[in-house]
Amino acid sequence: MKAISLKPLWAHLILCGEKTVEFRTWKTTHRGSLLICSSATPREPNTIVGQALCLVTLKDVVPFETKHLDAAHLENMPDKKGYAWILEEVRYIKPFPVKGKLHLYDVSDDLIHPIAENSSEAEYIDFFKTWYLPKMEGGPISLYEAFLCPITPGADWQDTEELNTLIQGVMPLPMPERAFRKTAKAILHDEITNGVGVWCYRGTPAELKDFLAGQGMLTKKFASFCDAYPDCAVAFQDNFFGGM
């Protein structure tokens, strides 16, 4: 199996389905399955270091353009010209130690044990809890923190100080293909970003509930908030934005 080593944060975001483009200054003719590994350094909190993490499909390698920034989790265009490696189809595996190398390298297929095909959502969650969470430096951290606010002027929620804790970003997402923002765009409306890792969406209470239920984040407190303020917005702060 062809493999590539990335800094732990980048590998972590690919694992979670949030980073679907990798910037490289070089290109490859390889296409198809690719083993994503995290480097042993730096030992970044809340990531897994020095391990093979997941499988992806390298669909294409094209010149890196501005349109790739968001998917690459980059704020600005890199100083050097390079290529966008387009990644799809994240598959969980049982992480195992890997000594990384420069460029692409080979790892024995015998070491790679992926989750069974057609696994259920519950099986994905159990797999992640069993094989990934115990290896995270300092434990897991939420990918996102969610903040709710009523649109109605003068609205006064009874637990104003607790609004920020109504829902918290889930880690991990139930399944890799349910990347948080991709799902939000499909279900909610009017994505607005402030350019520093905060996205705001508006949607009907039913849409918000459906979205959060699919992310494992629907709570009774959130539901009661939506009932009290049917015209509300939800903002998500990316805890890993600009982390490199």
Side-chain angles (χ1 to χ4, degrees), residues 11 23 46 66 90 96 101 135 144 171 181 193-194 219 231 237:
F23 171 78
N46 316 117
T66 303
V90 178
F96 58 91
K101 301 178 183 178
K135 294 177 178 289
Y144 293 87
M171 172 64 189
R181 289 183 60 205
T193 177
N194 67 356
T219 65
D231 192 11
Q237 175 177 298

Side-chain angles (χ1 to χ4, degrees), residues 106-165:
D106 293 314
V107 172
S108 173
D109 289 355
D110 293 339
L111 299 174
I112 303 170
H113 301 285
I115 189 171
E117 293 185 12
N118 302 318
S119 293
S120 67
E121 181 173 316
E123 288 170 330
Y124 263 86
I125 293 173
D126 288 342
F127 193 95
F128 200 103
K129 288 180 178 179
T130 299
W131 296 103
Y132 289 100
L133 292 187
K135 294 177 178 289
M136 291 185 179
E137 296 281 308
I141 188 173
S142 297
L143 276 176
Y144 293 87
E145 291 183 59
F147 305 88
L148 297 170
C149 57
I151 302 300
T152 307
D156 184 21
W157 176 244
Q158 59 183 348
D159 296 319
T160 303
E161 72 280 2
E162 295 182 9
L163 279 182
N164 290 353
T165 61

Side-chain angles (χ1 to χ4, degrees), residues 7-117:
K7 290 184 178 180
L9 176 56
W10 291 149
H12 180 83
L13 291 174
I14 290 173
L15 168 68
C16 295
E18 294 298 319
K19 178 175 163 65
T20 56
V21 169
E22 169 63 11
F23 171 78
R24 293 275 124 174
T25 57
W26 47 280
K27 59 183 177 179
T28 177
T29 58
H30 175 71
R31 300 292 184 273
S33 294
L34 180 65
L35 182 66
I36 299 297
C37 304
S38 65
S39 60
T41 58
R43 300 190 73 84
E44 295 180 284
N46 316 117
T47 66
I48 299 172
V49 301
Q51 303 263 322
L53 290 189
C54 61
L55 293 171
V56 298
T57 297
L58 177 57
K59 180 181 179 181
D60 205 359
V61 176
V62 298
F64 193 92
E65 301 177 12
T66 303
K67 66 181 180 181
H68 296 123
L69 285 173
D70 192 47
H73 256 257
L74 294 176
E75 185 175 357
N76 300 306
M77 285 293 288
D79 293 335
K80 298 179 180 179
K81 291 184 179 181
Y83 300 91
W85 292 32
I86 311 300
L87 310 176
E88 295 183 345
E89 301 173 346
V90 178
R91 284 99 74 196
Y92 290 170
I93 65 170
K94 296 178 182 179
F96 58 91
V98 168
K99 186 175 182 180
K101 301 178 183 178
L102 295 176
H103 298 281
L104 293 181
Y105 54 95
D106 293 314
V107 172
S108 173
D109 289 355
D110 293 339
L111 299 174
I112 303 170
H113 301 285
I115 189 171
E117 293 185 12

Side-chain angles (χ1 to χ4, degrees), residues 216-230:
M217 295 168 59
L218 184 61
T219 65
K220 291 182 179 179
K221 184 180 278 283
F222 172 81
S224 65
F225 177 86
C226 284
D227 292 339
Y229 299 105

Side-chain angles (χ1 to χ4, degrees), residues 179-190:
F180 201 95
R181 289 183 60 205
K182 181 179 180 181
T183 306
K185 288 179 181 179
I187 297 178
L188 305 177
H189 314 290
D190 304 328

